[in-house]
């Protein structure tokens, strides 16, 4: 299921009541696109290690890491745009990111480029 939390919880309860095991119910939270970033004045160097590019300079005007990479010519996975959530996951080699939609991925060294922005200089394994 993919949708707002309340809807998915209602559907999940109804499925369980009809005998579907909870472990067979997969959910992806629907989130609206992030609004404008309020990080004016901050700028970080982002390196896409395997892409053959040296690096790109990130600022709030450049958007998420996915937007930055695409604008710079890096080929990043982006199935998230066609409802394949978390397909934009990329390993962080060094540096830190902040995700714009709350919970971080389970793995600390992974970022979801469609919703992450750097908070330090960053090297991604892509």
């Amino acid at each position: 299921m993919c949708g707002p939390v309340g809807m998915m919880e209602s559907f999940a309860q109804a499925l369980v009541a009809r005998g579907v095991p909870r472990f067979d119910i997969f959910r992806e939270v629907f989130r609206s696109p992030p609004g404008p970033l309020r990080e004016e004045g901050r700028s970080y160097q982002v390196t896409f290690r395997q892409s053959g590019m040296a690096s790109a300079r990130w600022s709030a005007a450049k958007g998420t890491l996915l937007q930055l990479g695409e604008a710079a010519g890096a080929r990043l996975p982006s199935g998230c745009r066609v409802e394949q959530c978390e397909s934009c996951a990329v390993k962080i080699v060094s540096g830190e990111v902040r995700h714009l939609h709350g919970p971080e991925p389970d793995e600390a060294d992974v970022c979801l480029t469609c919703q992450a922005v750097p908070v330090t200089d960053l090297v991604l394994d892509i």
Side-chain angles (χ1 to χ4, degrees), residues 9-87:
E9 188 56 37
S10 294
F11 283 179
Q13 288 174 7
L15 289 169
V16 169
R18 287 169 178 76
V20 175
R22 279 201 181 273
F23 61 83
D24 281 340
I25 301 171
F26 179 74
R27 305 178 211 192
E28 291 184 16
V29 176
F30 174 80
R31 295 181 173 108
S32 59
L37 297 172
R38 305 280 186 231
E39 311 241 354
E40 289 85 8
R42 295 183 188 208
S43 175
Y44 302 105
Q45 200 67 27
V46 178
T47 301
F48 303 95
R49 190 169 78 168
Q50 294 182 33
S51 71
M53 297 175 44
S55 60
R57 176 68 56 188
W58 178 90
S59 66
K62 305 265 176 109
T64 65
L65 289 169
L66 179 58
Q67 293 168 313
L68 173 72
E70 288 177 337
R75 296 186 57 108
L76 280 77
S78 60
C80 50
R81 290 182 171 149
V82 291
E83 298 179 21
Q84 295 173 344
C85 295
E86 298 187 16
S87 63

